[in-house]
Amino acid sequence: MTVITDERFHSAGFEQEHEDNASRPAPGAASIRLKGLEKSFGGNRVLRGIDLFVPAGQFVAVIGKSGCGKSTLLRILMGLDQPTGGSLGFEDAEGEAVAPNARIVFQEPRLLPWLSVAENVVVGLGEGVPKAEAHAQALDALSEVQLSEKAREWPARLSGGQRQRVALARALVSTPGVLALDEPLGALDALTRISMQELLNRVWRELGFTTVLVTHDVSEAVHLADRVIVLDEGRIALDLPIPYPHPRRHGNPALAELEGRLLGAILGKS
Ligand SMILES: Nc1ncnc2c1ncn2[C@@H]1O[C@H](COP(=O)(O)OP(=O)(O)O)[C@@H](O)[C@H]1O
Ligand SMILES: [Mg+2]
């Protein structure tokens, strides 16, 4: 079995392979640059100097023990919380600072029960879009997540996986440049999770937004991401490229090897 080391990743033409296989970044996709990012809650130093550059259109997974600061990092990325040190910036292809359209999907779909599926997706557009146009865009987003036939349904009538697809459509309808996902598949059963992984991968390849996925599932991280980051004690303990074309087959032994390295880093054995 071949162990893909970071050195091999950089020296063996992976960049070329990656160019051929990955989706092109969407025009609105932004790169993310974190420099010495810190976040404390009182005396609790949760993030202790995160340096990270995520190129536009890349799919990054973030894993780490419960409480290590994954959700805090996403909240800061979304502007829902402020860092206590360091800096966070987004850049366009020319390296100019931009304010991208950034969206987040949580573990719970957070749908409004008194609105239809399509109306829930319209919520993602915010104010100011004419009603008929908003509805048409919502139907497009629902088609993207293969839920067109549920547009007029109430959320309560959907399965957990379908509700989470509506939540994804609500994020996609505004054509985000950056999409953050906080354990979005964590509440789903194993088979639904696998089909949602395929769906997420396809949507990302088609639409080309920059993705930051927080997950506790190492296999999911390795299956979906171009790169997996392990957070530990407020720092990046491992930044591992996953140099395989998409879509990936489950059960690839080379991916299992990378999973092992990531588990070692999470458990502090690497
Ligand atoms: N609003 C908050 N106020 C105080 N402490 C917080 C707040 N949000 C998160 N924390 C603390 O920050 C740490 C990291 O939390 P979190 O980012 O949710 O971890 P993870 O998502 O990796 O499980 C935890 O110790 C948590 O208690
Ligand atoms: Mg969390």
Side-chain angles (χ1 to χ4, degrees):
M1 190 183 298
T2 319
V3 177
I4 306 285
T5 62
D6 300 4
E7 292 71 36
R8 194 187 131 186
F9 167 71
H10 289 300
S11 63
F14 165 62
E15 255 100 347
Q16 187 55 48
E17 184 188 334
H18 185 220
E19 288 274 318
D20 294 344
N21 290 297
S23 66
R24 296 217 174 81
S31 54
I32 305 169
R33 194 183 294 279
L34 307 180
K35 283 192 199 153
L37 192 84
E38 306 218 1
K39 179 65 180 179
S40 299
F41 295 102
N44 183 8
R45 289 181 66 209
V46 176
L47 302 177
R48 306 181 177 198
I50 307 278
D51 292 301
L52 179 65
F53 179 72
V54 180
Q58 192 173 60
F59 193 129
V60 182
V62 178
I63 58 179
K65 293 188 189 108
S66 181
C68 73
K70 303 180 295 296
S71 295
T72 301
L73 180 64
L74 281 198
R75 290 179 58 79
I76 291 174
L77 278 180
M78 292 296 107
L80 299 170
D81 210 343
Q82 296 307 311
T84 44
S87 68
L88 154 74
F90 298 94
E91 296 166 12
D92 65 14
E94 280 74 48
E96 296 291 324
V98 288
N101 177 18
R103 296 287 156 146
I104 186 164
V105 175
F106 298 99
Q107 182 168 328
E108 333 77 59
R110 303 187 181 190
L111 305 180
L112 301 172
W114 58 88
L115 295 181
S116 72
V117 162
E119 287 164 341
N120 266 282
V121 175
V122 165
V123 168
L125 284 169
E127 305 287 311
V129 181
K131 206 171 168 190
E133 193 182 321
H135 192 73
Q137 290 184 25
L139 291 185
D140 281 350
L142 283 170
S143 149
E144 194 67 61
V145 301
Q146 293 162 346
L147 269 188
S148 300
E149 78 283 2
K150 301 289 184 192
R152 301 161 74 97
E153 199 56 271
W154 300 112
R157 299 278 301 265
L158 305 185
S159 69
Q162 289 170 334
R163 278 181 216 161
Q164 200 56 319
R165 272 145 70 191
V166 178
L168 182 59
R170 183 182 51 196
L172 296 178
V173 72
S174 65
T175 57
V178 176
L179 184 66
L181 303 141
D182 197 350
E183 309 209 22
L185 313 183
L188 305 177
D189 67 81
L191 288 178
T192 306
R193 195 179 321 155
I194 287 175
S195 71
M196 282 288 287
Q197 288 170 1
E198 306 313 323
L199 184 140
L200 188 58
N201 179 259
R202 177 183 55 72
V203 167
W204 166 68
R205 282 184 288 119
E206 280 176 17
L207 303 182
F209 41 78
T210 311
T211 308
V212 185
L213 167 74
V214 164
T215 177
H216 58 255
D217 183 339
V218 178
S219 146
E220 178 170 297
V222 164
H223 190 69
L224 292 178
D226 292 324
R227 173 184 185 189
V228 183
I229 282 160
V230 177
L231 278 190
D232 188 40
E233 312 226 316
R235 294 195 177 84
I236 293 178
L238 182 62
D239 182 350
L240 188 67
I242 314 293
Y244 294 95
H246 298 278
R248 296 174 183 153
R249 271 187 315 110
H250 279 281
N252 176 343
L255 293 181
E257 180 82 33
L258 295 176
E259 271 184 49
R261 280 183 66 183
L262 289 163
L263 274 175
I266 296 170
L267 301 172
K269 290 177 189 155
S270 76

